[in-house]
Amino acid sequence: MTVIPQIPATVGPVLFKAACPDCRARFELSAGALRLAIGGSRRTTFYSFTCPECGSAVRKPAGERIVELLTGGGVRTLRLHTTG
């Protein structure tokens, strides 16, 4: 008898938990609903999304761990460059 190893079920899309600072709603967003901007400093590195509840544009700082999680989850990334 030959044992064939189980192939794990395909993993569904990655969802990120988020909250809106304006309406305080909590929800899950797909990678496509988020944007990540990586700048030259902590002030210019952030992620953003539109709240699905109230429609507010939300922008939050992204430290190293958040950047790692978002990029690993397939969030589109924009690298900001300074001129000069």
Side-chain angles (χ1 to χ4, degrees):
M1 172 185 263
T2 305
V3 177
I4 300 173
Q6 291 277 335
I7 299 173
T10 55
V11 177
V14 176
L15 294 176
F16 297 93
K17 291 184 179 184
C20 177
D22 292 339
C23 71
R24 303 226 182 259
R26 295 186 173 278
F27 39 82
E28 292 182 340
L29 296 171
S30 68
L34 294 156
R35 298 291 174 269
L36 174 63
I38 299 176
S41 71
R42 294 174 91 182
R43 274 189 28 224
T44 58
T45 300
F46 60 90
Y47 66 99
S48 62
F49 58 90
T50 300
C51 175
E53 297 293 322
C54 71
S56 291
V58 179
R59 177 175 160 165
K60 294 188 175 188
E64 287 181 32
R65 181 70 179 137
I66 298 293
V67 169
E68 195 177 300
L69 291 170
L70 294 177
T71 55
V75 173
R76 283 188 270 180
T77 302
L78 172 66
R79 296 208 178 263
L80 305 176
H81 298 281
T82 56
T83 56

